[in-house]
Amino acid sequence: QRTSFHRSQTLDFKNGYAFSRLPREGVGGETLFANQLSQDELDDLCTKGTTLTYGQVKRPAAPRFTPAFVAYDKKVLKFDAYFQEEVSISAEEHYRIRQVGIYYYLEDDSMCVIEPKVKNSGLFQGKLMKRHRVPKNEQGDYYHWKDLNLGIDLTMYGRTYRLVNCDSFTKVFLESQGIVVNPPEEMVLDPYTEQHRMPVQKPIVPTSPDPFRQFLTYDTKVLRFYAIWDDTNCAFGDHHPCVIHYFLADDAVEVREVHRRNDGRDPFPVLMRRQRLPKVFVDKNKNFPSCVLEITDHEVQEWYSPKDFAVGKTVTLLGRTFLIYDCDKFTQDFYREKYGITDFQPVDIKKKPLEKVAQVIPPYNGFGIPEDSLQNCLSLFPKPPRKDIIKMLENNLKVLRYQVALESPLREDKTRRFILSYFLSDDTISIYEPPVKNSGITGGKYLKRTKVTKPGSTPENPIYYEPSDFTIGSTIEVFGHRFVITDADEYVLNYLERNAESFPTATLQSIRDHLHPQKVVVETVSSGVPKKDLDDLIVEVQKQLKLQEPFNTRKFHEAFHHFDKEGSGFLDKTRFLNICDRFQVPTSTILLKKLIDYCSCDGDKVNYRDFLLAFPS
């Protein structure tokens, strides 16, 4: 009726050394005596027979009890194995062979898998499976050393290992336990690794000059060619001057672009870096994307050499065409000695000057002044024409005024009078028409201040009117309208006399002859000299009134009588002139002044009754 089956401890340590001792208690805690026989000894006595001659056979002493973790401490079975791993992301290999070592620890029946680390392999190597008891099946069994042998496949956690060899200790142990060890197999190698370990077979090249000897002979010796790269077929293309360097030491070619000041290009030094340039390629598949890969030696059939360059020759380097037009002295000596070439005449690459096309100026359209409109034909962003600032400062506020009449076949235009103002600061002209009541024509500004060209002048060489062109009786054509100068201001005569050296004598004399009779009349009045007969003067005024528009003489008479409160027949000269200005008497200014001077008395009074004789009501 036992309920406890514990066994007593038989392993002990003393002074750091392990030793075994006899158990003091049996299974379940039974007391054991020192001279008590064991069950095995009792069984031997029961089966032992008696001997008559020599007595009982002496048997060796029973071995002392040793636990398994002591007996098999630090005893490990080591197997060489490999497993195959699938590779799906590489075009050069489809599977990979990985060599491992499987270790079985006898003390606790645990196992581990270790792969030797390879430098720069790119794989996770080392301990692939940590040390532990490996399950064998789903029933809960674990792998035992009895399951291990050479030439078998061992599956652990879905990965199958092929055991091909073991060490001597493993072989001796398995044979001592009665296991027949299979013959070892050859370890399978990784094909991709072995392919890269094999030395690359270099193609057999025909005998050629030694590159090291070529380097020592031609080091620092460079052929220099001057070329032109014609890029005019592309948008914004041009002729690019370049220098081609051919390095004799390694048959490399370099192209540098020659930059000039303000040429508008980025000043990068090298157009093509120093490299060997292919001339003829080996035939290959057209679908192969060689444009994005580097060119190798086996893809090129022929490289560029010194014999491919010459003055006057066209070469194509990496898709660009260069025309070689000259070379330096060293290059000429090299070709003269090696190839026997003596003709190095430079090619003329100077551009022919373009023929200048005469610029055709379109006709003047009438908008603005010709100089201002001409700027639209000379530049894309027109600028206003430059002005003579000195002239503007010297002649500021200086204006010459003339009275002009319009030449027109229409009856209503014959009585129209205009004031033409000539501005000396910028030679511009403006025309103003004084408003006349009940004339049916709105007065005011007739021509805005602008320059006026003479008839027959061209937009390329415009000729403008000047003060010398304005004489009494001369005709001025302004944009298709013709005006006749009938009178001038006294300031005009004074200005012309002060600057007589700048104007023709005929212009000055014309103004002087026109204004001189007026001065004579004024002088004779003031000095008491007999004036012109009143009847003749009245007849002339009435003749001009008949030629002009009808004049309301009745209201004209009423105005004078209204202001003469005393009925004396005399009015103040200032008031008299205001009445005349208000009614705008349609007669010549000269005749009107003569009539007023004739009727004046005592300087400040005017006899308006004598004056009204010329204007019958």
Side-chain angles (χ1 to χ4, degrees), residues 321-344:
T321 303
F322 297 87
L323 171 63
I324 301 176
Y325 65 88
D326 201 1
C327 61
D328 62 355
K329 187 176 183 304
F330 172 77
T331 306
Q332 297 178 7
D333 297 340
F334 176 81
Y335 278 89
R336 189 179 294 107
E337 294 175 3
K338 189 166 185 177
Y339 298 102
I341 299 175
T342 58
D343 185 13
F344 301 101

PDB file of all heavy atoms in Angstrom, residues 321-344:
ATOM      1  N   THR A 321      28.443  64.975 -83.696  1.00  0.00           N
ATOM      2  CA  THR A 321      29.319  65.039 -84.860  1.00  0.00           C
ATOM      3  C   THR A 321      30.233  66.260 -84.732  1.00  0.00           C
ATOM      4  O   THR A 321      29.751  67.381 -84.549  1.00  0.00           O
ATOM      5  CB  THR A 321      28.487  65.125 -86.149  1.00  0.00           C
ATOM      6  OG1 THR A 321      27.612  64.000 -86.218  1.00  0.00           O
ATOM      7  CG2 THR A 321      29.395  65.139 -87.363  1.00  0.00           C
ATOM      8  N   PHE A 322      31.537  66.026 -84.844  1.00  0.00           N
ATOM      9  CA  PHE A 322      32.547  67.075 -84.720  1.00  0.00           C
ATOM     10  C   PHE A 322      33.326  67.176 -86.028  1.00  0.00           C
ATOM     11  O   PHE A 322      33.726  66.149 -86.608  1.00  0.00           O
ATOM     12  CB  PHE A 322      33.520  66.773 -83.575  1.00  0.00           C
ATOM     13  CG  PHE A 322      32.867  66.728 -82.223  1.00  0.00           C
ATOM     14  CD1 PHE A 322      32.294  65.562 -81.747  1.00  0.00           C
ATOM     15  CD2 PHE A 322      32.818  67.863 -81.428  1.00  0.00           C
ATOM     16  CE1 PHE A 322      31.703  65.520 -80.503  1.00  0.00           C
ATOM     17  CE2 PHE A 322      32.220  67.837 -80.183  1.00  0.00           C
ATOM     18  CZ  PHE A 322      31.656  66.655 -79.723  1.00  0.00           C
ATOM     19  N   LEU A 323      33.549  68.413 -86.474  1.00  0.00           N
ATOM     20  CA  LEU A 323      34.375  68.685 -87.646  1.00  0.00           C
ATOM     21  C   LEU A 323      35.727  69.198 -87.155  1.00  0.00           C
ATOM     22  O   LEU A 323      35.812  70.256 -86.517  1.00  0.00           O
ATOM     23  CB  LEU A 323      33.717  69.716 -88.559  1.00  0.00           C
ATOM     24  CG  LEU A 323      34.576  70.244 -89.709  1.00  0.00           C
ATOM     25  CD1 LEU A 323      34.947  69.125 -90.670  1.00  0.00           C
ATOM     26  CD2 LEU A 323      33.877  71.368 -90.448  1.00  0.00           C
ATOM     27  N   ILE A 324      36.792  68.441 -87.424  1.00  0.00           N
ATOM     28  CA  ILE A 324      38.142  68.817 -87.002  1.00  0.00           C
ATOM     29  C   ILE A 324      38.704  69.779 -88.042  1.00  0.00           C
ATOM     30  O   ILE A 324      38.828  69.434 -89.227  1.00  0.00           O
ATOM     31  CB  ILE A 324      39.039  67.577 -86.863  1.00  0.00           C
ATOM     32  CG1 ILE A 324      38.440  66.610 -85.836  1.00  0.00           C
ATOM     33  CG2 ILE A 324      40.444  67.974 -86.470  1.00  0.00           C
ATOM     34  CD1 ILE A 324      39.204  65.310 -85.713  1.00  0.00           C
ATOM     35  N   TYR A 325      39.039  70.989 -87.598  1.00  0.00           N
ATOM     36  CA  TYR A 325      39.537  71.985 -88.549  1.00  0.00           C
ATOM     37  C   TYR A 325      41.000  72.369 -88.321  1.00  0.00           C
ATOM     38  O   TYR A 325      41.586  73.050 -89.155  1.00  0.00           O
ATOM     39  CB  TYR A 325      38.667  73.239 -88.497  1.00  0.00           C
ATOM     40  CG  TYR A 325      38.697  73.991 -87.186  1.00  0.00           C
ATOM     41  CD1 TYR A 325      39.653  74.973 -86.935  1.00  0.00           C
ATOM     42  CD2 TYR A 325      37.760  73.730 -86.200  1.00  0.00           C
ATOM     43  CE1 TYR A 325      39.681  75.666 -85.736  1.00  0.00           C
ATOM     44  CE2 TYR A 325      37.774  74.423 -85.009  1.00  0.00           C
ATOM     45  CZ  TYR A 325      38.733  75.388 -84.772  1.00  0.00           C
ATOM     46  OH  TYR A 325      38.764  76.076 -83.581  1.00  0.00           O
ATOM     47  N   ASP A 326      41.624  71.919 -87.225  1.00  0.00           N
ATOM     48  CA  ASP A 326      43.033  72.257 -86.989  1.00  0.00           C
ATOM     49  C   ASP A 326      43.557  71.392 -85.849  1.00  0.00           C
ATOM     50  O   ASP A 326      42.784  70.717 -85.139  1.00  0.00           O
ATOM     51  CB  ASP A 326      43.167  73.745 -86.644  1.00  0.00           C
ATOM     52  CG  ASP A 326      44.593  74.256 -86.882  1.00  0.00           C
ATOM     53  OD1 ASP A 326      45.443  73.444 -87.320  1.00  0.00           O
ATOM     54  OD2 ASP A 326      44.854  75.445 -86.618  1.00  0.00           O
ATOM     55  N   CYS A 327      44.879  71.411 -85.653  1.00  0.00           N
ATOM     56  CA  CYS A 327      45.530  70.679 -84.562  1.00  0.00           C
ATOM     57  C   CYS A 327      46.797  71.432 -84.169  1.00  0.00           C
ATOM     58  O   CYS A 327      47.249  72.338 -84.879  1.00  0.00           O
ATOM     59  CB  CYS A 327      45.839  69.239 -84.961  1.00  0.00           C
ATOM     60  SG  CYS A 327      46.959  69.098 -86.383  1.00  0.00           S
ATOM     61  N   ASP A 328      47.396  71.041 -83.032  1.00  0.00           N
ATOM     62  CA  ASP A 328      48.593  71.748 -82.558  1.00  0.00           C
ATOM     63  C   ASP A 328      49.856  71.150 -83.183  1.00  0.00           C
ATOM     64  O   ASP A 328      49.807  70.173 -83.946  1.00  0.00           O
ATOM     65  CB  ASP A 328      48.654  71.712 -81.027  1.00  0.00           C
ATOM     66  CG  ASP A 328      48.756  70.296 -80.492  1.00  0.00           C
ATOM     67  OD1 ASP A 328      48.678  69.347 -81.290  1.00  0.00           O
ATOM     68  OD2 ASP A 328      48.915  70.134 -79.266  1.00  0.00           O
ATOM     69  N   LYS A 329      51.008  71.727 -82.850  1.00  0.00           N
ATOM     70  CA  LYS A 329      52.274  71.325 -83.490  1.00  0.00           C
ATOM     71  C   LYS A 329      52.686  69.909 -83.085  1.00  0.00           C
ATOM     72  O   LYS A 329      53.177  69.134 -83.907  1.00  0.00           O
ATOM     73  CB  LYS A 329      53.379  72.324 -83.114  1.00  0.00           C
ATOM     74  CG  LYS A 329      54.696  72.093 -83.848  1.00  0.00           C
ATOM     75  CD  LYS A 329      55.702  73.166 -83.491  1.00  0.00           C
ATOM     76  CE  LYS A 329      57.006  72.985 -84.285  1.00  0.00           C
ATOM     77  NZ  LYS A 329      57.589  71.635 -84.083  1.00  0.00           N
ATOM     78  N   PHE A 330      52.502  69.532 -81.804  1.00  0.00           N
ATOM     79  CA  PHE A 330      52.875  68.182 -81.370  1.00  0.00           C
ATOM     80  C   PHE A 330      52.083  67.129 -82.132  1.00  0.00           C
ATOM     81  O   PHE A 330      52.611  66.084 -82.532  1.00  0.00           O
ATOM     82  CB  PHE A 330      52.638  68.036 -79.864  1.00  0.00           C
ATOM     83  CG  PHE A 330      52.814  66.628 -79.367  1.00  0.00           C
ATOM     84  CD1 PHE A 330      54.076  66.092 -79.180  1.00  0.00           C
ATOM     85  CD2 PHE A 330      51.698  65.828 -79.117  1.00  0.00           C
ATOM     86  CE1 PHE A 330      54.228  64.789 -78.736  1.00  0.00           C
ATOM     87  CE2 PHE A 330      51.851  64.530 -78.672  1.00  0.00           C
ATOM     88  CZ  PHE A 330      53.125  63.999 -78.472  1.00  0.00           C
ATOM     89  N   THR A 331      50.805  67.396 -82.358  1.00  0.00           N
ATOM     90  CA  THR A 331      49.975  66.439 -83.102  1.00  0.00           C
ATOM     91  C   THR A 331      50.460  66.315 -84.547  1.00  0.00           C
ATOM     92  O   THR A 331      50.500  65.210 -85.106  1.00  0.00           O
ATOM     93  CB  THR A 331      48.512  66.901 -83.057  1.00  0.00           C
ATOM     94  OG1 THR A 331      48.119  67.092 -81.696  1.00  0.00           O
ATOM     95  CG2 THR A 331      47.602  65.881 -83.700  1.00  0.00           C
ATOM     96  N   GLN A 332      50.844  67.429 -85.147  1.00  0.00           N
ATOM     97  CA  GLN A 332      51.358  67.365 -86.518  1.00  0.00           C
ATOM     98  C   GLN A 332      52.646  66.543 -86.593  1.00  0.00           C
ATOM     99  O   GLN A 332      52.808  65.710 -87.489  1.00  0.00           O
ATOM    100  CB  GLN A 332      51.587  68.780 -87.034  1.00  0.00           C
ATOM    101  CG  GLN A 332      50.324  69.632 -87.146  1.00  0.00           C
ATOM    102  CD  GLN A 332      50.616  71.039 -87.608  1.00  0.00           C
ATOM    103  OE1 GLN A 332      51.753  71.359 -87.970  1.00  0.00           O
ATOM    104  NE2 GLN A 332      49.590  71.904 -87.595  1.00  0.00           N
ATOM    105  N   ASP A 333      53.551  66.744 -85.625  1.00  0.00           N
ATOM    106  CA  ASP A 333      54.803  65.962 -85.612  1.00  0.00           C
ATOM    107  C   ASP A 333      54.521  64.479 -85.400  1.00  0.00           C
ATOM    108  O   ASP A 333      55.177  63.614 -86.009  1.00  0.00           O
ATOM    109  CB  ASP A 333      55.720  66.489 -84.520  1.00  0.00           C
ATOM    110  CG  ASP A 333      56.145  67.933 -84.767  1.00  0.00           C
ATOM    111  OD1 ASP A 333      56.055  68.368 -85.937  1.00  0.00           O
ATOM    112  OD2 ASP A 333      56.524  68.627 -83.796  1.00  0.00           O
ATOM    113  N   PHE A 334      53.546  64.143 -84.531  1.00  0.00           N
ATOM    114  CA  PHE A 334      53.226  62.734 -84.270  1.00  0.00           C
ATOM    115  C   PHE A 334      52.709  62.063 -85.533  1.00  0.00           C
ATOM    116  O   PHE A 334      53.144  60.944 -85.882  1.00  0.00           O
ATOM    117  CB  PHE A 334      52.193  62.648 -83.146  1.00  0.00           C
ATOM    118  CG  PHE A 334      51.718  61.261 -82.859  1.00  0.00           C
ATOM    119  CD1 PHE A 334      52.465  60.406 -82.068  1.00  0.00           C
ATOM    120  CD2 PHE A 334      50.522  60.794 -83.395  1.00  0.00           C
ATOM    121  CE1 PHE A 334      52.020  59.112 -81.809  1.00  0.00           C
ATOM    122  CE2 PHE A 334      50.074  59.511 -83.141  1.00  0.00           C
ATOM    123  CZ  PHE A 334      50.834  58.662 -82.345  1.00  0.00           C
ATOM    124  N   TYR A 335      51.784  62.692 -86.252  1.00  0.00           N
ATOM    125  CA  TYR A 335      51.244  62.086 -87.467  1.00  0.00           C
ATOM    126  C   TYR A 335      52.277  62.060 -88.588  1.00  0.00           C
ATOM    127  O   TYR A 335      52.263  61.143 -89.429  1.00  0.00           O
ATOM    128  CB  TYR A 335      50.001  62.859 -87.918  1.00  0.00           C
ATOM    129  CG  TYR A 335      48.742  62.451 -87.186  1.00  0.00           C
ATOM    130  CD1 TYR A 335      48.378  63.068 -86.001  1.00  0.00           C
ATOM    131  CD2 TYR A 335      47.927  61.438 -87.676  1.00  0.00           C
ATOM    132  CE1 TYR A 335      47.230  62.696 -85.312  1.00  0.00           C
ATOM    133  CE2 TYR A 335      46.763  61.056 -87.008  1.00  0.00           C
ATOM    134  CZ  TYR A 335      46.421  61.690 -85.823  1.00  0.00           C
ATOM    135  OH  TYR A 335      45.294  61.299 -85.154  1.00  0.00           O
ATOM    136  N   ARG A 336      53.155  63.043 -88.601  1.00  0.00           N
ATOM    137  CA  ARG A 336      54.189  63.063 -89.645  1.00  0.00           C
ATOM    138  C   ARG A 336      55.170  61.907 -89.450  1.00  0.00           C
ATOM    139  O   ARG A 336      55.607  61.276 -90.413  1.00  0.00           O
ATOM    140  CB  ARG A 336      54.907  64.410 -89.616  1.00  0.00           C
ATOM    141  CG  ARG A 336      55.844  64.612 -90.810  1.00  0.00           C
ATOM    142  CD  ARG A 336      56.522  65.968 -90.758  1.00  0.00           C
ATOM    143  NE  ARG A 336      55.569  67.068 -90.927  1.00  0.00           N
ATOM    144  CZ  ARG A 336      55.189  67.871 -89.951  1.00  0.00           C
ATOM    145  NH1 ARG A 336      55.689  67.737 -88.730  1.00  0.00           N
ATOM    146  NH2 ARG A 336      54.316  68.840 -90.176  1.00  0.00           N
ATOM    147  N   GLU A 337      55.531  61.576 -88.205  1.00  0.00           N
ATOM    148  CA  GLU A 337      56.503  60.501 -87.932  1.00  0.00           C
ATOM    149  C   GLU A 337      55.868  59.117 -88.032  1.00  0.00           C
ATOM    150  O   GLU A 337      56.487  58.183 -88.545  1.00  0.00           O
ATOM    151  CB  GLU A 337      57.106  60.694 -86.541  1.00  0.00           C
ATOM    152  CG  GLU A 337      57.951  61.957 -86.412  1.00  0.00           C
ATOM    153  CD  GLU A 337      58.437  62.171 -84.990  1.00  0.00           C
ATOM    154  OE1 GLU A 337      58.153  61.284 -84.142  1.00  0.00           O
ATOM    155  OE2 GLU A 337      59.086  63.192 -84.726  1.00  0.00           O
ATOM    156  N   LYS A 338      54.625  58.957 -87.513  1.00  0.00           N
ATOM    157  CA  LYS A 338      54.041  57.614 -87.417  1.00  0.00           C
ATOM    158  C   LYS A 338      53.259  57.233 -88.665  1.00  0.00           C
ATOM    159  O   LYS A 338      53.295  56.071 -89.100  1.00  0.00           O
ATOM    160  CB  LYS A 338      53.134  57.541 -86.194  1.00  0.00           C
ATOM    161  CG  LYS A 338      52.656  56.128 -85.901  1.00  0.00           C
ATOM    162  CD  LYS A 338      52.059  56.012 -84.516  1.00  0.00           C
ATOM    163  CE  LYS A 338      51.695  54.558 -84.216  1.00  0.00           C
ATOM    164  NZ  LYS A 338      51.174  54.377 -82.846  1.00  0.00           N
ATOM    165  N   TYR A 339      52.522  58.181 -89.258  1.00  0.00           N
ATOM    166  CA  TYR A 339      51.664  57.846 -90.394  1.00  0.00           C
ATOM    167  C   TYR A 339      52.124  58.489 -91.690  1.00  0.00           C
ATOM    168  O   TYR A 339      51.536  58.218 -92.749  1.00  0.00           O
ATOM    169  CB  TYR A 339      50.215  58.271 -90.118  1.00  0.00           C
ATOM    170  CG  TYR A 339      49.604  57.559 -88.925  1.00  0.00           C
ATOM    171  CD1 TYR A 339      49.502  58.207 -87.700  1.00  0.00           C
ATOM    172  CD2 TYR A 339      49.159  56.251 -89.027  1.00  0.00           C
ATOM    173  CE1 TYR A 339      48.942  57.570 -86.600  1.00  0.00           C
ATOM    174  CE2 TYR A 339      48.589  55.599 -87.942  1.00  0.00           C
ATOM    175  CZ  TYR A 339      48.496  56.259 -86.723  1.00  0.00           C
ATOM    176  OH  TYR A 339      47.947  55.617 -85.643  1.00  0.00           O
ATOM    177  N   GLY A 340      53.111  59.361 -91.648  1.00  0.00           N
ATOM    178  CA  GLY A 340      53.630  59.979 -92.863  1.00  0.00           C
ATOM    179  C   GLY A 340      52.705  61.023 -93.463  1.00  0.00           C
ATOM    180  O   GLY A 340      52.802  61.318 -94.660  1.00  0.00           O
ATOM    181  N   ILE A 341      51.813  61.571 -92.682  1.00  0.00           N
ATOM    182  CA  ILE A 341      50.885  62.593 -93.169  1.00  0.00           C
ATOM    183  C   ILE A 341      51.565  63.955 -93.102  1.00  0.00           C
ATOM    184  O   ILE A 341      52.167  64.319 -92.082  1.00  0.00           O
ATOM    185  CB  ILE A 341      49.591  62.590 -92.330  1.00  0.00           C
ATOM    186  CG1 ILE A 341      48.888  61.238 -92.439  1.00  0.00           C
ATOM    187  CG2 ILE A 341      48.653  63.703 -92.769  1.00  0.00           C
ATOM    188  CD1 ILE A 341      47.663  61.103 -91.554  1.00  0.00           C
ATOM    189  N   THR A 342      51.480  64.714 -94.196  1.00  0.00           N
ATOM    190  CA  THR A 342      52.139  66.025 -94.251  1.00  0.00           C
ATOM    191  C   THR A 342      51.166  67.170 -94.507  1.00  0.00           C
ATOM    192  O   THR A 342      51.550  68.344 -94.412  1.00  0.00           O
ATOM    193  CB  THR A 342      53.212  66.024 -95.361  1.00  0.00           C
ATOM    194  OG1 THR A 342      52.584  65.705 -96.614  1.00  0.00           O
ATOM    195  CG2 THR A 342      54.302  64.998 -95.057  1.00  0.00           C
ATOM    196  N   ASP A 343      49.930  66.853 -94.850  1.00  0.00           N
ATOM    197  CA  ASP A 343      48.945  67.893 -95.160  1.00  0.00           C
ATOM    198  C   ASP A 343      48.157  68.233 -93.899  1.00  0.00           C
ATOM    199  O   ASP A 343      47.335  67.429 -93.430  1.00  0.00           O
ATOM    200  CB  ASP A 343      48.002  67.419 -96.267  1.00  0.00           C
ATOM    201  CG  ASP A 343      47.038  68.531 -96.704  1.00  0.00           C
ATOM    202  OD1 ASP A 343      47.279  69.698 -96.321  1.00  0.00           O
ATOM    203  OD2 ASP A 343      46.060  68.218 -97.408  1.00  0.00           O
ATOM    204  N   PHE A 344      48.411  69.395 -93.340  1.00  0.00           N
ATOM    205  CA  PHE A 344      47.699  69.851 -92.141  1.00  0.00           C
ATOM    206  C   PHE A 344      47.098  71.237 -92.389  1.00  0.00           C
ATOM    207  O   PHE A 344      47.145  72.112 -91.529  1.00  0.00           O
ATOM    208  CB  PHE A 344      48.645  69.905 -90.935  1.00  0.00           C
ATOM    209  CG  PHE A 344      49.276  68.583 -90.606  1.00  0.00           C
ATOM    210  CD1 PHE A 344      50.582  68.295 -90.992  1.00  0.00           C
ATOM    211  CD2 PHE A 344      48.547  67.610 -89.927  1.00  0.00           C
ATOM    212  CE1 PHE A 344      51.156  67.075 -90.687  1.00  0.00           C
ATOM    213  CE2 PHE A 344      49.119  66.387 -89.618  1.00  0.00           C
ATOM    214  CZ  PHE A 344      50.436  66.109 -90.007  1.00  0.00           C
TER     215      PHE A 344
END
